[in-house]
């Protein structure tokens, strides 16, 4: 199942508002997450391989050892955890990188 889909009307699978940010915190998963038409995404988990579809407004990663590919981003990418790799396909996001071993690149 796509994260963000298949939940009761008005909520996502994490119980959050479908208009609010998506929070993702599992460990060691491979998942596709749907940002839809402009939701923010917060990743606090570790050792995940994530494919993010749709257009995210913002992406924040404070976890560690995540590999994240984002289809499109319109706002900011903030990589503040450790050893995270973020690749975005479209958009011109503002990028903030802190922490150790984090990389953000268009690809």
């Amino acid at each position: 199942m796509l994260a963000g889909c298949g939940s009761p009307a008005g909520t996502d699978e994490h119980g959050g508002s479908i208009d609010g940010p998506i929070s993702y915190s599992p460990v060691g998963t491979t998942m596709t997450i749907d940002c839809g038409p402009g939701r923010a995404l917060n990743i606090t988990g570790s050792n995940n391989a994530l494919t993010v579809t749709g257009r995210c407004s913002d992406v924040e990663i404070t976890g560690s050892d995540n590999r994240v590919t984002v289809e499109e981003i319109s706002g900011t990418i903030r990589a503040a955890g450790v050893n995270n790799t973020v690749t975005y396909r479209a958009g011109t996001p503002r990028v903030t990188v802190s922490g150790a071993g984090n990389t953000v690149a268009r690809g």
Side-chain angles (χ1 to χ4, degrees):
M1 175 187 324
L2 291 174
C5 298
S7 300
T11 64
D12 66 16
E13 75 286 353
H14 304 289
S17 164
I18 59 172
D19 295 325
I22 299 166
S23 294
Y24 192 81
S25 60
V27 174
T29 65
T30 298
M31 176 70 80
T32 298
I33 298 171
D34 182 11
C35 255
R39 293 177 70 186
L41 173 62
N42 300 317
I43 301 168
T44 58
S46 298
N47 298 307
N48 296 296
L50 305 174
T51 301
V52 183
T53 61
R55 179 181 48 83
C56 294
S57 59
D58 299 297
V59 175
E60 179 175 14
I61 303 170
T62 57
S64 62
D65 298 307
N66 293 293
R67 303 295 169 257
V68 182
T69 302
V70 181
E71 182 177 343
E72 183 179 357
I73 183 155
S74 61
T76 300
I77 297 174
R78 180 174 174 258
V82 178
N83 295 326
N84 295 297
T85 300
V86 180
T87 304
Y88 62 96
R89 306 278 186 225
T92 53
R94 290 174 302 282
V95 176
T96 302
V97 178
S98 60
N102 294 312
T103 60
V104 176
R106 187 177 182 127

